[in-house]
Amino acid sequence: MYVIFGASGKVGASSAAALRKAGKAVRAVVRNPAQGEALARIGCEVAIADLDDLRSIRRALDGAQAAQLICPVALQASDAASAMRAMIHNAAQALSAHPGMRVLAVSDYGAELESGTGITMLYRELERQFAQAVAHLTLLRSAEHMQNWGRVLPVALATGYLSTLHAPASTPFPTVSAHDVGTIAAQLLLEQEQRDDTKVRVVSVEGPHRYSAEDAARLLGEVCGREMRVHVLPRQEWAATLSRSGINEALATLIMETNDAQNSGRIGAEAGTELRRGTTGLREVLAALVAA
């Protein structure tokens, strides 16, 4: 039995579908029954659990041979960092009761760095705790999801300007489709069946190409049939802009630290790690976002 936490999300749903296609028994973990309906239709067993609830995590893991976990950033929490650390602690504690279980954890580019990376520091903590909890661990470090452009898409379509914190706008940065992350995660889970070593496996994943903000604007323009230009938000305006979008000060600070690290070139695939590439290009993702 493969247990997929966050199975209703883009990454988790793609992993569950790929494992079912491979003929594997899948327990899809969601937070409420409605989220499990589509997963049940493809043959998944559906379990209700929440990373805030240790007992529910333990129930979801019962009888499993492998598990995939992703700890989301708690965007609505008053203290997003503390909320995510609590989820990480709960998951690690539950996993520690199954030290022989094969586990894949979705992490983040830059998680190997020791300081100054904002949100990514939380994934560094996830990696540390999970490595202590289980003997067979694969860390899938993901580049930024292409679907994140959807956050600024409504304004871009209304104004013709694609806003970004990425600077310079001409610098390509690593990005990947969330669906590709899920598919590659499933491949790695299947590969774990053939591996007996207990060394933590670190795999980086990004798309077939790196894209700049200028590339994103050009491709969005092609999809929409109109000119799109990039608007790089000045650094001194970040805090106020994030606040107006409903992000509290604590989370905004983490977001700004992460983007500063990205813009300075500190965050990328760790040298010496395996690199897997998705097959989905940014134009395809933007077309799907616009259509939606």
Coordinates of all heavy atoms in Angstrom, one line a residue, residues 67-100:
A67 N 5.2 5.8 1.7 CA 4.4 7.0 1.9 C 5.1 8.2 1.2 O 6.3 8.3 1.1 CB 4.2 7.3 3.4
Q68 N 4.2 9.0 0.7 CA 4.7 10.3 0.1 C 4.1 11.4 0.9 O 2.8 11.5 1.1 CB 4.2 10.4 -1.4 CG 4.6 11.8 -2.0 CD 4.2 11.8 -3.5 OE1 4.5 10.8 -4.2 NE2 3.5 12.8 -3.9
L69 N 4.9 12.4 1.3 CA 4.4 13.5 2.2 C 4.8 14.8 1.6 O 5.9 15.0 1.1 CB 4.9 13.4 3.6 CG 4.3 12.2 4.4 CD1 5.3 11.1 4.5 CD2 3.9 12.7 5.8
I70 N 3.9 15.7 1.7 CA 4.2 17.1 1.4 C 3.6 18.0 2.5 O 2.4 17.8 2.8 CB 3.7 17.5 0.0 CG1 4.1 18.9 -0.4 CG2 2.2 17.3 -0.2 CD1 3.8 19.3 -1.8
C71 N 4.4 18.8 3.1 CA 3.9 19.7 4.1 C 3.7 21.1 3.5 O 4.6 21.8 3.1 CB 4.9 19.8 5.3 SG 5.0 18.3 6.3
P72 N 2.4 21.5 3.4 CA 2.1 22.8 2.8 C 2.5 24.0 3.7 O 2.4 23.9 4.9 CB 0.6 22.8 2.5 CG 0.1 21.9 3.6 CD 1.2 20.9 3.8
V73 N 2.8 25.1 3.1 CA 2.9 26.4 3.9 C 1.5 26.8 4.3 O 0.6 26.9 3.5 CB 3.6 27.5 3.1 CG1 3.7 28.7 3.9 CG2 5.0 27.0 2.6
A74 N 1.4 27.0 5.6 CA 0.0 27.4 6.2 C -0.2 28.9 5.9 O 0.1 29.7 6.8 CB 0.0 27.1 7.7
L75 N -0.7 29.2 4.8 CA -0.8 30.6 4.3 C -1.8 31.4 5.2 O -1.6 32.6 5.4 CB -1.3 30.6 2.9 CG -0.4 30.0 1.9 CD1 -1.1 30.0 0.5 CD2 0.9 30.6 1.8
Q76 N -2.8 30.8 5.8 CA -3.7 31.5 6.6 C -3.4 31.6 8.1 O -4.1 32.3 8.9 CB -5.1 30.9 6.4 CG -5.6 30.8 5.0 CD -5.6 32.1 4.3 OE1 -6.0 33.2 4.8 NE2 -5.1 32.1 3.0
A77 N -2.3 30.9 8.5 CA -2.0 30.9 9.9 C -1.4 32.2 10.3 O -0.7 32.9 9.5 CB -1.0 29.8 10.2
S78 N -1.6 32.6 11.6 CA -1.0 33.9 12.1 C 0.5 33.8 12.1 O 1.3 34.8 12.0 CB -1.5 34.2 13.4 OG -1.3 33.2 14.4
D79 N 1.0 32.5 12.3 CA 2.5 32.3 12.3 C 2.7 31.1 11.4 O 2.7 29.9 11.9 CB 3.0 32.0 13.8 CG 4.5 31.9 13.8 OD1 5.1 31.7 12.8 OD2 5.0 32.0 14.9
A80 N 2.9 31.3 10.2 CA 3.0 30.2 9.2 C 4.2 29.3 9.5 O 4.1 28.1 9.3 CB 3.2 30.8 7.8
A81 N 5.3 29.9 10.0 CA 6.5 29.0 10.3 C 6.2 28.1 11.4 O 6.5 26.9 11.3 CB 7.7 29.9 10.6
S82 N 5.6 28.6 12.5 CA 5.3 27.7 13.6 C 4.3 26.6 13.2 O 4.4 25.5 13.6 CB 4.7 28.5 14.8 OG 5.7 29.4 15.3
A83 N 3.3 27.0 12.4 CA 2.3 26.0 12.0 C 2.9 24.9 11.1 O 2.6 23.8 11.3 CB 1.2 26.8 11.2
M84 N 3.8 25.3 10.2 CA 4.4 24.3 9.4 C 5.4 23.4 10.2 O 5.4 22.2 10.0 CB 5.2 24.9 8.2 CG 5.7 23.9 7.2 SD 6.3 24.7 5.7 CE 7.2 23.4 4.9
R85 N 6.1 24.0 11.1 CA 7.0 23.2 12.0 C 6.2 22.2 12.8 O 6.6 21.0 13.0 CB 7.7 24.1 12.9 CG 8.9 24.9 12.3 CD 9.8 25.6 13.3 NE 10.7 26.5 12.7 CZ 10.5 27.8 12.6 NH1 9.5 28.4 13.2 NH2 11.4 28.6 12.0
A86 N 5.0 22.5 13.2 CA 4.1 21.6 14.0 C 3.7 20.4 13.1 O 3.7 19.3 13.5 CB 2.9 22.3 14.5
M87 N 3.4 20.7 11.8 CA 3.0 19.7 10.9 C 4.2 18.7 10.6 O 4.0 17.5 10.6 CB 2.5 20.3 9.6 CG 1.1 20.9 9.7 SD 0.4 21.4 8.1 CE 1.3 22.9 7.7
I88 N 5.4 19.3 10.4 CA 6.6 18.5 10.2 C 6.8 17.6 11.4 O 7.1 16.4 11.2 CB 7.8 19.5 9.9 CG1 7.6 20.2 8.6 CG2 9.1 18.7 10.0 CD1 8.6 21.3 8.4
H89 N 6.7 18.2 12.6 CA 6.9 17.4 13.8 C 5.9 16.2 13.9 O 6.3 15.1 14.2 CB 6.8 18.3 15.0 CG 7.0 17.6 16.3 ND1 8.2 17.1 16.8 CD2 6.1 17.2 17.3 CE1 8.1 16.5 17.9 NE2 6.8 16.5 18.2
N90 N 4.7 16.5 13.7 CA 3.7 15.5 13.7 C 4.0 14.3 12.7 O 3.9 13.1 13.0 CB 2.3 16.0 13.4 CG 1.7 16.8 14.6 OD1 2.1 16.7 15.7 ND2 0.7 17.7 14.3
A91 N 4.3 14.7 11.5 CA 4.6 13.7 10.5 C 5.8 12.9 10.8 O 5.8 11.7 10.7 CB 4.8 14.4 9.1
A92 N 6.9 13.6 11.3 CA 8.1 12.8 11.7 C 7.8 11.9 12.8 O 8.3 10.8 12.9 CB 9.2 13.8 12.0
Q93 N 7.0 12.3 13.8 CA 6.7 11.5 14.9 C 5.9 10.2 14.5 O 6.2 9.1 15.0 CB 5.9 12.3 16.0 CG 5.7 11.6 17.3 CD 5.1 12.5 18.4 OE1 5.0 13.7 18.2 NE2 4.6 11.8 19.5
A94 N 5.0 10.4 13.6 CA 4.2 9.3 13.1 C 5.1 8.4 12.3 O 5.0 7.1 12.5 CB 3.0 9.8 12.3
L95 N 6.0 8.9 11.5 CA 6.8 8.1 10.7 C 7.8 7.3 11.6 O 8.2 6.1 11.2 CB 7.6 8.9 9.7 CG 6.8 9.5 8.5 CD1 7.7 10.5 7.8 CD2 6.3 8.4 7.6
S96 N 8.2 7.8 12.7 CA 9.2 7.2 13.5 C 8.7 5.8 14.1 O 9.5 5.0 14.5 CB 9.6 8.1 14.7 OG 8.5 8.3 15.6
A97 N 7.4 5.6 14.1 CA 6.8 4.4 14.5 C 6.9 3.3 13.4 O 6.6 2.1 13.6 CB 5.3 4.5 14.9
H98 N 7.4 3.7 12.2 CA 7.5 2.8 11.0 C 8.9 3.1 10.4 O 9.0 3.5 9.3 CB 6.5 3.1 10.0 CG 5.0 3.1 10.5 ND1 4.3 2.0 10.5 CD2 4.2 4.1 11.0 CE1 3.1 2.2 11.0 NE2 3.0 3.5 11.3
P99 N 10.0 2.8 11.2 CA 11.3 3.1 10.7 C 11.7 2.5 9.4 O 12.6 2.9 8.7 CB 12.2 2.7 11.9 CG 11.4 1.7 12.6 CD 10.0 2.1 12.5
G100 N 11.1 1.3 9.1 CA 11.5 0.6 7.9 C 10.7 1.0 6.6 O 10.9 0.5 5.5

